[in-house]
Amino acid sequence: MDTQKMAKVFKALSNPNRLELYLQIVEKHETSYETNCGCLINEISKSLNIGAPTVSHHLKELSNAELIFTERKGKYLVARVNEKMVNKVNELLKLHKCES
């Protein structure tokens, strides 16, 4: 993964509200994994102390960093974690033992 893309990921996660939003999406993603229904954003918005326009902005930043996918299902917005990106970030951050 190139450094520009990684910088975008880290920048997206550097805002405390955006990080909290992302972590809640991850949590909902994990609990709904078997049903594959994604995470309804309106459920998360209620628990955060920020307005809908700000939530929308944060979602856009997370999406631009390729950390999540969003889609409309009727009048609801659903978010899903981009597991490929999560795996790339995990791989990059893994500590490798140096062989002596």
Side-chain angles (χ1 to χ4, degrees):
M1 178 181 303
D2 67 21
T3 55
Q4 292 285 60
K5 190 172 274 195
M6 283 307 299
K8 195 178 242 187
V9 167
F10 291 130
K11 181 181 179 201
L13 295 175
S14 69
N15 178 286
N17 287 327
R18 198 160 32 242
L19 178 59
E20 179 63 30
L21 177 61
Y22 180 72
L23 292 174
Q24 287 193 31
I25 292 169
V26 168
E27 183 180 319
K28 297 279 186 189
H29 175 81
E30 289 173 354
T31 58
S32 69
Y33 186 76
E34 291 178 7
T35 60
N36 196 28
C37 65
C39 170
L40 294 176
I41 295 305
N42 68 331
E43 291 176 5
I44 291 177
S45 297
K46 294 174 188 175
S47 68
L48 298 174
N49 195 20
I50 53 178
T54 305
V55 170
S56 179
H57 169 74
H58 289 323
L59 289 171
K60 182 179 178 187
E61 291 294 320
L62 292 171
S63 184
N64 286 342
E66 298 179 31
L67 289 166
I68 63 169
F69 300 114
T70 59
E71 66 177 296
R72 286 251 171 236
K73 289 204 174 184
K75 66 179 184 174
Y76 298 105
L77 184 64
V78 177
R80 287 189 172 78
V81 173
N82 180 352
E83 293 185 34
K84 287 183 182 179
M85 179 59 81
V86 171
N87 290 336
K88 287 179 184 179
V89 172
N90 283 339
E91 193 61 35
L92 180 75
L93 296 176
K94 267 187 188 174
L95 297 175
H96 297 282
K97 291 184 179 181
C98 296
E99 294 184 32
S100 41

